[in-house]
Amino acid sequence: TSYSNPIKTTTLIFFTEEWKDLRANVDDTEAAVLDDLVESSDIVLQLVEEEKAMLNNDESKIIIGGFSQGCMVTLSTILRQKG
């Protein structure tokens, strides 16, 4: 059987691990934690750009999500995304 429409793929980026052990660094300032969050978000933004390139720049096929700290990274990434 031949299909006229190719199968469309979607990239799912979902965070289940903590990005920072907040308990181990109880002396961290709010600014230090924010810096780490931004660094994590930058990594995700780079991953999204790489996935977009593989999907012919169709970012509608990319889903990011997470819970707990993963949610925090996801929200930070979405708020910092250009476009």
Side-chain angles (χ1 to χ4, degrees), residues 10-16 37 40-52 55 58-67 69-82:
T10 300
T11 299
L12 173 63
I13 304 169
F14 193 82
F15 302 96
T16 60
L37 176 60
S40 296
S41 179
D42 285 343
I43 292 168
V44 176
L45 286 169
Q46 180 61 40
L47 179 60
V48 167
E49 289 302 315
E50 292 171 11
E51 292 296 321
K52 274 176 51 177
L55 296 169
D58 186 358
E59 62 186 21
S60 70
K61 296 179 182 178
I62 301 172
I63 302 167
I64 61 174
F67 59 91
Q69 289 184 20
C71 180
M72 193 162 53
V73 172
T74 299
L75 291 175
S76 173
T77 302
I78 291 168
L79 292 172
R80 297 180 62 241
Q81 184 179 14
K82 296 176 182 158

Side-chain angles (χ1 to χ4, degrees), residues 15-49:
F15 302 96
T16 60
E17 301 289 329
E18 61 186 26
W19 60 275
K20 178 177 179 63
D21 186 356
L22 296 174
R23 295 164 299 202
N25 299 303
V26 292
D27 294 331
D28 275 353
T29 64
E30 184 176 324
V33 171
L34 183 57
D35 287 343
D36 288 343
L37 176 60
V38 168
E39 182 179 343
S40 296
S41 179
D42 285 343
I43 292 168
V44 176
L45 286 169
Q46 180 61 40
L47 179 60
V48 167
E49 289 302 315

